[in-house]
């Protein structure tokens, strides 16, 4: 666990770095080639209780570290379209209404969003009146006998649809679980080239206690002593080109493991963490952006923007 002293030192160094960026007139425009969110706003750095930048100087987004009004103004000038891919297969169709209802209200409000909903029961998708700037695309998909196979094949499906359609339709793409709900606004502060969400389970634990795949035979394996953050597969994304690279590489690892009779500890999430270890995210979302309801929320989580829905996993998966 990072000590309070080291957190304060890193945040101070981050402040100096970001102040220099501000003076060079590149504040909020550092990622202009791919996006608009840029680094954290030095005028808003008021937190000393959390880590604000990664060791490779990617911003970590927390409540109180960005100005959404400024970001919104820049975002509208770019006129980007964001895609959201989500899967509701078998009993998970029961979560569609809660997901879409909360996303319509809180996810990139006022901006153009395409929701791509994959389901084996298109007839069960409820009618929801979305905001004018949001569109829903229902895409039939087969189910699998095991929930693990549903999980691991999502990477392949996303990769294929980027190649065939989405690269022409959206600028940024995020993958989100269907069994979540949003409670506070999730805005353009999430936009960047490659974005990972720090797991609420792993954030405060020592690195070696993270749930990485450690068996060397797996393509998802991360050797002992390596690893930095543990990322949740429930919410990740970035530019369409980067998400294509990520999903293609992760499914290649899944396929090679299958050929060798191996299944990674946490399935696609294990492969996601292997990829993000060696292809560092340009922006990290704090656990505010995916909180597991099984956990007691600590004081550092000032806002719960998105969280899992309480459920009986044995009942919904089998």
């Amino acid at each position: 666990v990072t000590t309070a002293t080291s957190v304060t030192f890193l945040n101070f160094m981050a402040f100096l770095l970001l102040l220099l960026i501000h003076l060079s007139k590149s504040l909020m425009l550092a990622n202009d080639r791919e996006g608009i969110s840029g680094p954290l706003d030095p005028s808003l750095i008021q937190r000393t209780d959390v880590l604000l930048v990664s060791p490779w100087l990617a911003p970590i987004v927390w409540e109180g570290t960005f100005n959404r009004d400024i970001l919104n103004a820049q975002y509208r000038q770019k006129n980007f379209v964001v895609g959201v891919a989500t899967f509701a297969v078998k009993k998970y169709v029961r979560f569609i209404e809660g997901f879409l209802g909360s996303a319509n209200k809180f996810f990139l409000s006022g901006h153009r969003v395409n929701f791509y909903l994959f389901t084996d029961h298109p007839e069960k998708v409820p009618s929801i009146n979305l905001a004018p700037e949001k569109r829903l695309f229902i895409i039939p998909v087969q189910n699998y006998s095991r929930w693990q196979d549903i999980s691991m094949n999502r990477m392949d499906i996303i990769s294929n649809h980027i190649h065939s359609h989405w690269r022409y339709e959206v600028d940024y793409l995020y993958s989100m679980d269907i069994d979540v709900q949003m409670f506070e606004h999730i805005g353009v502060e999430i936009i960047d080239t490659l974005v990972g969400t720090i797991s609420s389970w792993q954030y405060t634990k020592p690195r070696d206690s993270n749930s990485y795949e450690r068996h060397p035979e797996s393509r998802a394996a991360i050797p002992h002593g390596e690893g930095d953050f543990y990322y949740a597969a429930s919410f990740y994304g970035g530019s369409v080109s980067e998400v294509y690279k990520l999903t293609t590489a992760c499914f290649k690892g899944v396929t090679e493991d299958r050929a060798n009779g191996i299944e990674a500890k946490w399935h696609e999430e294990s492969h996601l963490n292997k990829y993000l270890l060696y292809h560092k995210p340009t922006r990290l979302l704090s656990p505010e952006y995916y909180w597991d309801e099984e956990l007691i929320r600590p004081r550092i989580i000032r806002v719960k923007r998105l969280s899992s829905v309480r459920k009986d996993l044995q009942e919904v998966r089998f």
Side-chain angles (χ1 to χ4, degrees), residues 150-165:
I150 296 171
S151 172
M152 289 190 290
N153 279 285
R154 291 191 296 187
M155 293 284 194
D156 185 42
I157 293 170
I158 291 172
S159 174
N160 287 334
H161 276 78
I162 291 174
H163 186 264
S164 62
H165 296 93

mmCIF file of all heavy atoms in Angstrom, residues 150-165:
data_model
loop_
_atom_site.group_PDB
_atom_site.id
_atom_site.type_symbol
_atom_site.label_atom_id
_atom_site.label_comp_id
_atom_site.label_asym_id
_atom_site.label_seq_id
_atom_site.Cartn_x
_atom_site.Cartn_y
_atom_site.Cartn_z
ATOM 1 N N ILE A 150 -18.609 -17.013 -22.735
ATOM 2 C CA ILE A 150 -19.255 -15.746 -23.095
ATOM 3 C C ILE A 150 -18.306 -14.596 -22.786
ATOM 4 O O ILE A 150 -18.100 -13.691 -23.599
ATOM 5 C CB ILE A 150 -20.579 -15.576 -22.312
ATOM 6 C CG1 ILE A 150 -21.574 -16.668 -22.710
ATOM 7 C CG2 ILE A 150 -21.170 -14.187 -22.551
ATOM 8 C CD1 ILE A 150 -22.818 -16.705 -21.842
ATOM 9 N N SER A 151 -17.709 -14.646 -21.601
ATOM 10 C CA SER A 151 -16.802 -13.590 -21.173
ATOM 11 C C SER A 151 -15.600 -13.486 -22.100
ATOM 12 O O SER A 151 -15.237 -12.396 -22.571
ATOM 13 C CB SER A 151 -16.350 -13.856 -19.735
ATOM 14 O OG SER A 151 -15.343 -12.960 -19.339
ATOM 15 N N MET A 152 -14.966 -14.616 -22.390
ATOM 16 C CA MET A 152 -13.715 -14.576 -23.142
ATOM 17 C C MET A 152 -13.915 -14.272 -24.617
ATOM 18 O O MET A 152 -13.009 -13.773 -25.277
ATOM 19 C CB MET A 152 -12.965 -15.890 -22.953
ATOM 20 C CG MET A 152 -12.380 -16.045 -21.546
ATOM 21 S SD MET A 152 -11.256 -17.451 -21.370
ATOM 22 C CE MET A 152 -12.418 -18.810 -21.483
ATOM 23 N N ASN A 153 -15.085 -14.574 -25.173
ATOM 24 C CA ASN A 153 -15.324 -14.303 -26.587
ATOM 25 C C ASN A 153 -15.706 -12.849 -26.854
ATOM 26 O O ASN A 153 -15.781 -12.443 -28.017
ATOM 27 C CB ASN A 153 -16.396 -15.241 -27.136
ATOM 28 C CG ASN A 153 -15.814 -16.609 -27.481
ATOM 29 O OD1 ASN A 153 -15.129 -16.774 -28.480
ATOM 30 N ND2 ASN A 153 -16.080 -17.584 -26.629
ATOM 31 N N ARG A 154 -15.948 -12.069 -25.808
ATOM 32 C CA ARG A 154 -16.294 -10.662 -26.025
ATOM 33 C C ARG A 154 -15.177 -9.921 -26.750
ATOM 34 O O ARG A 154 -15.439 -9.067 -27.615
ATOM 35 C CB ARG A 154 -16.590 -9.966 -24.683
ATOM 36 C CG ARG A 154 -17.855 -10.445 -24.025
ATOM 37 C CD ARG A 154 -18.263 -9.569 -22.862
ATOM 38 N NE ARG A 154 -17.292 -9.576 -21.770
ATOM 39 C CZ ARG A 154 -17.492 -8.990 -20.597
ATOM 40 N NH1 ARG A 154 -18.624 -8.331 -20.375
ATOM 41 N NH2 ARG A 154 -16.591 -9.040 -19.644
ATOM 42 N N MET A 155 -13.935 -10.230 -26.418
ATOM 43 C CA MET A 155 -12.806 -9.556 -27.060
ATOM 44 C C MET A 155 -12.821 -9.785 -28.573
ATOM 45 O O MET A 155 -12.577 -8.867 -29.362
ATOM 46 C CB MET A 155 -11.487 -10.051 -26.472
ATOM 47 C CG MET A 155 -11.248 -9.679 -25.018
ATOM 48 S SD MET A 155 -10.773 -7.939 -24.848
ATOM 49 C CE MET A 155 -10.149 -7.903 -23.178
ATOM 50 N N ASP A 156 -13.094 -11.019 -28.983
ATOM 51 C CA ASP A 156 -13.119 -11.357 -30.408
ATOM 52 C C ASP A 156 -14.259 -10.628 -31.111
ATOM 53 O O ASP A 156 -14.090 -10.089 -32.217
ATOM 54 C CB ASP A 156 -13.273 -12.862 -30.570
ATOM 55 C CG ASP A 156 -13.186 -13.293 -32.031
ATOM 56 O OD1 ASP A 156 -12.329 -12.777 -32.759
ATOM 57 O OD2 ASP A 156 -13.980 -14.158 -32.433
ATOM 58 N N ILE A 157 -15.420 -10.595 -30.490
ATOM 59 C CA ILE A 157 -16.585 -9.936 -31.097
ATOM 60 C C ILE A 157 -16.336 -8.444 -31.246
ATOM 61 O O ILE A 157 -16.626 -7.850 -32.297
ATOM 62 C CB ILE A 157 -17.837 -10.217 -30.238
ATOM 63 C CG1 ILE A 157 -18.196 -11.704 -30.288
ATOM 64 C CG2 ILE A 157 -19.016 -9.366 -30.708
ATOM 65 C CD1 ILE A 157 -19.252 -12.121 -29.291
ATOM 66 N N ILE A 158 -15.788 -7.822 -30.216
ATOM 67 C CA ILE A 158 -15.488 -6.386 -30.293
ATOM 68 C C ILE A 158 -14.468 -6.113 -31.391
ATOM 69 O O ILE A 158 -14.639 -5.197 -32.208
ATOM 70 C CB ILE A 158 -15.001 -5.867 -28.933
ATOM 71 C CG1 ILE A 158 -16.150 -5.883 -27.921
ATOM 72 C CG2 ILE A 158 -14.422 -4.457 -29.055
ATOM 73 C CD1 ILE A 158 -15.727 -5.567 -26.500
ATOM 74 N N SER A 159 -13.405 -6.910 -31.438
ATOM 75 C CA SER A 159 -12.368 -6.729 -32.449
ATOM 76 C C SER A 159 -12.948 -6.830 -33.859
ATOM 77 O O SER A 159 -12.662 -6.000 -34.733
ATOM 78 C CB SER A 159 -11.263 -7.770 -32.253
ATOM 79 O OG SER A 159 -10.319 -7.712 -33.296
ATOM 80 N N ASN A 160 -13.777 -7.836 -34.094
ATOM 81 C CA ASN A 160 -14.362 -8.035 -35.420
ATOM 82 C C ASN A 160 -15.287 -6.882 -35.821
ATOM 83 O O ASN A 160 -15.283 -6.448 -36.984
ATOM 84 C CB ASN A 160 -15.135 -9.354 -35.464
ATOM 85 C CG ASN A 160 -14.212 -10.560 -35.473
ATOM 86 O OD1 ASN A 160 -13.065 -10.471 -35.907
ATOM 87 N ND2 ASN A 160 -14.699 -11.690 -34.982
ATOM 88 N N HIS A 161 -16.052 -6.375 -34.876
ATOM 89 C CA HIS A 161 -16.979 -5.283 -35.203
ATOM 90 C C HIS A 161 -16.245 -3.954 -35.402
ATOM 91 O O HIS A 161 -16.701 -3.116 -36.181
ATOM 92 C CB HIS A 161 -18.061 -5.159 -34.121
ATOM 93 C CG HIS A 161 -19.194 -6.112 -34.331
ATOM 94 N ND1 HIS A 161 -19.112 -7.444 -34.013
ATOM 95 C CD2 HIS A 161 -20.439 -5.928 -34.860
ATOM 96 C CE1 HIS A 161 -20.257 -8.042 -34.321
ATOM 97 N NE2 HIS A 161 -21.071 -7.151 -34.830
ATOM 98 N N ILE A 162 -15.140 -3.764 -34.708
ATOM 99 C CA ILE A 162 -14.330 -2.576 -34.985
ATOM 100 C C ILE A 162 -13.832 -2.628 -36.425
ATOM 101 O O ILE A 162 -13.915 -1.642 -37.170
ATOM 102 C CB ILE A 162 -13.135 -2.479 -34.019
ATOM 103 C CG1 ILE A 162 -13.611 -2.168 -32.597
ATOM 104 C CG2 ILE A 162 -12.160 -1.398 -34.487
ATOM 105 C CD1 ILE A 162 -12.497 -2.198 -31.564
ATOM 106 N N HIS A 163 -13.325 -3.782 -36.809
ATOM 107 C CA HIS A 163 -12.758 -3.928 -38.151
ATOM 108 C C HIS A 163 -13.807 -3.758 -39.240
ATOM 109 O O HIS A 163 -13.555 -3.133 -40.280
ATOM 110 C CB HIS A 163 -12.076 -5.287 -38.282
ATOM 111 C CG HIS A 163 -11.352 -5.469 -39.575
ATOM 112 N ND1 HIS A 163 -11.916 -6.104 -40.673
ATOM 113 C CD2 HIS A 163 -10.108 -5.080 -39.961
ATOM 114 C CE1 HIS A 163 -11.050 -6.101 -41.669
ATOM 115 N NE2 HIS A 163 -9.948 -5.490 -41.271
ATOM 116 N N SER A 164 -15.010 -4.284 -39.000
ATOM 117 C CA SER A 164 -16.028 -4.278 -40.054
ATOM 118 C C SER A 164 -16.906 -3.039 -40.061
ATOM 119 O O SER A 164 -17.348 -2.590 -41.129
ATOM 120 C CB SER A 164 -16.918 -5.523 -39.926
ATOM 121 O OG SER A 164 -17.603 -5.524 -38.679
ATOM 122 N N HIS A 165 -17.180 -2.444 -38.884
ATOM 123 C CA HIS A 165 -18.141 -1.340 -38.823
ATOM 124 C C HIS A 165 -17.698 -0.148 -37.983
ATOM 125 O O HIS A 165 -17.720 0.990 -38.436
ATOM 126 C CB HIS A 165 -19.486 -1.845 -38.266
ATOM 127 C CG HIS A 165 -20.176 -2.845 -39.116
ATOM 128 N ND1 HIS A 165 -20.012 -4.199 -38.941
ATOM 129 C CD2 HIS A 165 -21.047 -2.694 -40.160
ATOM 130 C CE1 HIS A 165 -20.745 -4.849 -39.838
ATOM 131 N NE2 HIS A 165 -21.375 -3.963 -40.584
#
